[in-house]
Amino acid sequence: MLRYLHAVLWVMLVVSFPAAAGGPASMPQRHFACQVDTVSGIAGLVLIQADDREEAENAALKAEAHTLAGTKSQARALMECIEQRGERFRDSYFDRFYREFPR
């Protein structure tokens, strides 16, 4: 019985340790859509999950974008980042592209 209790306590300690140590990192909760100029010269869309707008902007510049031409191209310059909930792109043509983009 004592051996069984010792084993149960050991398992409880091992299982609860990750939670006590902070557990796995959580994903950022905010979702951004960024309009970028790409190396192909065509505007592109980058969807980013980030903690804040600055982080989203930095990530968008390092990403491959979905272009208006239906291809992918490396981002070259940031045009605008919006929160996916409640914001719209200033460029109405690009905003329509974003709203119709499959997710």
Side-chain angles (χ1 to χ4, degrees), residues 82 87-89 91-99:
I82 63 168
E87 293 184 5
R88 293 188 164 277
F89 286 102
D91 177 339
S92 60
Y93 182 77
F94 191 83
D95 191 69
R96 183 173 178 201
F97 170 73
Y98 160 65
R99 301 281 167 209

Side-chain angles (χ1 to χ4, degrees), residues 24-71:
S26 62
M27 292 294 292
Q29 296 302 306
R30 295 172 70 186
H31 299 267
F32 295 88
C34 298
Q35 179 183 4
V36 296
D37 183 31
T38 67
V39 296
S40 67
I42 302 169
L45 173 67
V46 179
L47 301 176
I48 301 285
Q49 202 170 339
D51 290 320
D52 57 46
R53 193 176 307 267
E54 182 179 358
E55 183 181 335
E57 291 171 349
N58 290 331
L61 286 172
K62 299 173 186 167
E64 194 171 51
H66 298 275
T67 70
L68 292 171
T71 61

Side-chain angles (χ1 to χ4, degrees), residues 9-24:
L9 288 174
W10 176 252
V11 169
M12 288 174 60
L13 177 66
V14 170
V15 170
S16 66
F17 182 77

